[in-house]
Amino acid sequence: MKYHGSSFEYERERNEDLMRAFRTAFNECPQGSMDELYEKISNMPSKRFWVSEERAFIAISAMLKGRNPAFSKYKVEMYQEILRRVKIAQRNNPNEKLRNLVFMVVNQPAPKFYLSPKSAMVIIYKIKRKWYETRKQKLRHLY
């Protein structure tokens, strides 16, 4: 569970990856609707699974014990993919600790961002707004 005011330790890297996807999707279909653009972005491959290793370990441990943590459908899908890969890794490395296997899997490329198109839009909007504000501050200092 994410707590109010908590931060995501990989936010900067995730944002860079999301903006890479935004630029790629925008260049591939500049005439499409914004809804289509963000749908495409949210389903593009990502550099890794954007969840902390610790949070993933807790969720995967619970899932292996038969509990299904309550998440959005996107997070459920993400954790199911992580679990599927962890089980494969366990078969290939039966003596490896679960924590290490989860760490390895979470850092593998992910098939998509596991974000809703609306969430992708909100995050990208915040990234762009922050960039424009920073740029505006720098320009103020020049004059």
Side-chain angles (χ1 to χ4, degrees):
M1 169 187 259
K2 188 173 179 181
Y3 299 102
H4 180 71
S6 65
S7 64
F8 177 49
E9 61 188 301
Y10 296 110
E11 183 177 14
R12 185 180 58 76
E13 293 92 344
R14 189 238 10 234
N15 290 353
E16 289 171 1
D17 197 20
L18 201 53
M19 288 307 292
R20 173 203 49 82
F22 174 81
R23 286 185 210 94
T24 301
F26 186 80
N27 288 334
E28 288 176 0
C29 59
Q31 304 301 322
S33 74
M34 294 307 274
D35 290 340
E36 291 171 357
L37 177 69
Y38 288 108
E39 179 75 32
K40 183 173 179 125
I41 291 166
S42 63
N43 287 307
M44 289 179 75
S46 181
K47 289 183 178 182
R48 59 166 280 158
F49 290 91
W50 293 113
V51 60
S52 73
E53 292 85 357
E54 188 63 31
R55 192 177 305 265
F57 172 70
I58 292 166
I60 297 303
S61 295
M63 291 171 82
L64 286 170
K65 293 174 185 169
R67 294 192 300 264
N68 239 344
F71 295 111
S72 70
K73 70 177 187 173
Y74 300 98
K75 296 300 179 200
V76 167
E77 186 181 355
M78 179 185 71
Y79 284 122
Q80 287 173 342
E81 177 62 18
I82 293 171
L83 179 61
R84 184 186 72 75
R85 293 184 188 193
V86 164
K87 286 180 177 180
I88 292 169
Q90 278 181 321
R91 282 194 299 271
N92 295 333
N93 306 289
N95 297 324
E96 191 62 63
K97 291 182 178 180
L98 179 63
R99 184 176 297 277
N100 295 339
L101 296 173
V102 170
F103 182 90
M104 178 187 72
V105 168
V106 166
N107 285 285
Q108 293 174 348
K112 59 189 206 172
F113 279 92
Y114 296 102
L115 291 171
S116 71
K118 184 176 180 178
S119 293
M121 179 186 72
V122 168
I123 294 168
I124 289 170
Y125 172 78
K126 287 178 181 178
I127 295 166
K128 288 171 136 184
R129 189 178 67 200
K130 185 176 179 181
W131 183 85
Y132 285 120
E133 288 298 319
T134 303
R135 184 172 163 87
K136 194 163 55 171
Q137 291 296 326
K138 287 180 182 177
L139 288 174
R140 283 185 185 156
H141 292 324
L142 290 177
Y143 298 104

